[in-house]
Amino acid sequence: MATWWRQTGGGLPRTFWYLWTATLINRLGSFVAIYLGVYLVSVRHFDPSYAGIVIGLHGAGSALGTLLGGIVADRWGRRPAMLTGNVAAAATAAGLGLTGHPVAIAALTLTLGFFLGVARPAFTATIIDVVGERDRLRALTLNYWAINIGFSAAATMAGVLIRVDPLLLFVINAAVLLGTAGLIAVKVPESRPAPEAVGPRVLADRGGLGAVLRDRVFLTFTALTGLVWLCIEANAMLPVALQADGLPASAYGPIIAVNGLMIVAGQLFVPRLIARFDRSRTVAVAAVVIGAGFTVTAVADTVPLYGLSVLVWTLGEMMMTPANSALSADLSPAAQRGRYQGVYSLGYAFASFAGPTVGGLVTDGFGDTVLWLGLSGLALLVAVGNLLAGPARTRRIEALQVPAPAPVRPAPAPV
């Protein structure tokens, strides 16, 4: 085990471990995002339709925040984006817990999502900055592992806190965000590459999103990533499928818990399994496995079969997530990492909104079996898309790895 841990977590810079700790602390206290719907319906007694709109506003704010956060991270630095985002989100979370007016709740939820989004691209860009290319897959996997450990623990603790005093959800969440900002302020140095380190092309960069939006290779990659996450997010319709099969609502908890347990228990073994393979092919295989999981869901009618379906698509998710994160790092020019990570985050933001929405519409119109088979087919199309896009990505990565030419110095004037 000691040898395995050295191969999994050894050799990574100290700054990365401070960032990893900040991720874990942040996710351990992310109560508001997890229990916002339950809070609005059960505590504030709003209609489910209003709760759905508010949750959607959180996602919309996050999408806008990631775009601005990427620009801030590249133009003014990683630390300003992370510190401003976390501190402002802390103040917003506290205000959200103290208000009961529906308009104020909607506005503050949008604002909370926005400031949380501002910090994310800078955070990922800092990891990419401080971890060498050879170790990025391990580092990003470790960070994803911390996210899932924190999320699993937060979901359990939030259920207890909301019964004790719902305000605690917001107060502790705000305190955790301040703690995250404090750790970054004290231990994480600025890592934005200096202009001379990224070549003369940075001088023509105006700091906007134009360079990213003109990058068809990266935009195709982001779109394919968003589509496969849409498949996973459409699992919001799983309770409907359980009900249609006459299974109790209480079965959903143990079934979906398979996902978190597998990631926490097995994610750290994944880098050694996939590191030697081409990343685009790895993502394609992962999409096929995810599609196979939804095929099992389509024929499932018992709790064990539904549990098996979650197990299968979770295996695909475990392969896909670190490979996709490493690809996003490989495809991001050093001078534009913040903006590239901001645009990359839009894929997941799109999926978090479109997945449940499309899932609900298809289930209402055609039934859940059509939904699961449709998602399986979509996952297969994503796999084909990744295989077709692989050569272009390889050429782009090789081009980005070519060292920038040294600046030409004028010859000294003759004496």
Side-chain angles (χ1 to χ4, degrees):
M1 288 299 295
T3 301
W4 168 80
W5 177 248
R6 284 196 300 271
Q7 294 172 340
T8 302
L12 295 172
R14 183 175 299 177
T15 299
F16 165 76
W17 287 112
Y18 290 131
L19 291 166
W20 184 90
T21 304
T23 294
L24 183 61
I25 293 171
N26 188 289
R27 296 298 172 142
L28 282 171
S30 58
F31 302 133
V32 176
I34 296 172
Y35 259 68
L36 183 58
V38 175
Y39 169 79
L40 293 175
V41 174
S42 301
V43 178
R44 293 295 184 182
H45 306 295
F46 289 113
D47 294 333
S49 58
Y50 170 81
I53 292 172
V54 171
I55 293 171
L57 288 173
H58 186 279
S62 178
L64 293 172
T66 57
L67 292 178
L68 178 63
I71 294 172
V72 172
D74 285 342
R75 187 176 293 183
W76 290 290
R78 316 311 195 204
R79 278 167 54 89
M82 289 188 286
L83 295 175
T84 301
N86 279 286
V87 172
T92 306
L96 183 57
L98 295 172
T99 186
H101 193 282
V103 175
I105 288 175
L108 287 171
T109 300
L110 176 70
T111 306
L112 177 62
F114 175 82
F115 283 122
L116 289 173
V118 165
R120 287 187 186 122
F123 195 95
T124 307
T126 304
I127 292 178
I128 299 170
D129 292 338
V130 302
V131 176
E133 180 185 348
R134 186 184 65 178
D135 296 323
R136 281 178 190 158
L137 181 63
R138 290 192 299 133
L140 293 167
T141 299
L142 283 162
N143 195 61
Y144 179 62
W145 185 57
I147 289 171
N148 280 276
I149 291 176
F151 177 86
S152 300
T156 303
M157 291 187 290
V160 175
L161 292 173
I162 199 169
R163 290 193 293 269
V164 175
D165 186 348
L167 183 59
L168 289 174
L169 295 174
F170 301 89
V171 173
I172 297 178
N173 203 154
V176 164
L177 288 167
L178 289 176
T180 301
L183 179 59
I184 291 170
V186 174
K187 293 295 186 180
V188 178
E190 178 58 57
S191 64
R192 181 175 58 137
E196 58 270 18
V198 293
R201 283 187 302 174
V202 74
L203 299 176
D205 183 6
R206 299 181 179 180
L209 294 172
V212 191
L213 299 179
R214 289 190 296 269
D215 190 337
R216 288 182 291 181
V217 173
F218 190 80
L219 291 181
T220 301
F221 165 66
T222 299
L224 291 171
T225 302
L227 288 175
V228 77
W229 274 113
L230 182 151
C231 295
I232 294 174
E233 291 296 315
N235 269 296
M237 293 298 106
L238 193 56
V240 177
L242 296 176
Q243 185 179 20
D245 286 328
L247 298 173
S250 58
Y252 176 72
I255 289 171
I256 202 63
V258 172
N259 175 262
L261 290 172
M262 285 184 61
I263 292 173
V264 171
Q267 188 65 53
L268 294 188
F269 295 94
V270 172
R272 294 188 63 191
L273 298 176
I274 68 174
R276 64 182 182 274
F277 298 109
D278 177 82
R279 285 169 183 164
S280 291
R281 293 179 182 176
T282 299
V283 174
V285 171
V288 171
V289 175
I290 290 170
F294 291 122
T295 302
V296 177
T297 308
V299 301
D301 57 1
T302 64
V303 171
L305 270 179
Y306 276 111
L308 176 63
S309 73
V310 174
L311 184 150
V312 174
W313 64 253
T314 298
L315 285 174
E317 180 188 350
M318 292 169 68
M319 296 167 57
M320 175 192 74
T321 303
N324 263 341
S325 297
L327 262 175
S328 75
D330 293 340
L331 292 168
S332 303
Q336 299 157 355
R337 279 175 184 153
R339 282 163 286 171
Y340 268 71
Q341 292 305 310
V343 172
Y344 174 68
S345 298
L346 286 181
Y348 181 77
F350 157 78
S352 65
F353 170 76
T357 303
V358 172
L361 291 173
V362 173
T363 300
D364 286 343
F366 305 99
D368 62 274
T369 299
V370 172
L371 171 66
W372 305 125
L373 292 177
L375 294 174
S376 179
L378 178 59
L380 291 178
L381 290 176
V382 170
V384 173
N386 276 288
L387 290 176
L388 294 176
R393 293 174 190 167
T394 300
R395 291 192 296 270
R396 175 60 55 80
I397 292 169
E398 290 174 350
L400 290 174
Q401 290 173 343
V402 174
V408 178
R409 299 182 182 276
V415 178

